[in-house]
Amino acid sequence: MTAAADEPTGSPASEVITALNAELARRHRERFVDVQATLLAAAPSADGVPVARLRSDDVHLSPEGDAVVADAIRARLVALDRWPRSSGS
C-alpha cells in the first residue's frame, strides 16, 4: 500500500499503511514488494508521500509510477527465479 497525497508520514492513515505493509511483509516475506518504499526510493519526498510525477491523482499512480512499481516487481520475480532471464529484460 502507499500513501495518498493527503496522508503524510505520521498521519493516522500513514500509520495504518505502515502497519499493514509490515504485516504483509511478515506474511509474504520475500514475495512482498513494498510499493511505498519503492516509490520513495525512486523519488524521495520530505513528507513520505510519493511525489506528484509518480501519481496521476491523489491516489492512483501515473505511467511513470506504474513503471517504477513494475520494475520493482520484475526485479523481485527475477530474484526469486520466477521471471525468465534474458538479455533484454
Side-chain angles (χ1 to χ4, degrees):
M1 295 186 71
T2 188
D6 62 348
E7 298 170 342
T9 299
S11 70
S14 174
E15 297 301 321
V16 169
I17 290 167
T18 299
L20 285 171
N21 281 340
E23 178 62 17
L24 289 168
R26 185 188 68 76
R27 287 183 185 194
H28 300 286
R29 297 178 297 279
E30 71 276 355
R31 295 181 315 245
F32 178 69
V33 174
D34 187 333
V35 173
Q36 177 84 351
T38 297
L39 293 170
L40 292 174
S45 73
D47 63 1
V49 174
V51 297
R53 76 170 197 271
L54 299 179
R55 296 180 282 111
S56 61
D57 58 29
D58 287 349
V59 178
H60 301 97
L61 298 179
S62 68
E64 184 179 354
D66 286 338
V68 167
V69 172
D71 287 346
I73 292 169
R74 184 182 59 76
R76 182 60 50 91
L77 291 171
V78 167
L80 294 171
D81 203 24
R82 303 283 181 166
W83 188 272
R85 295 174 194 257
S86 68
S87 59
S89 64

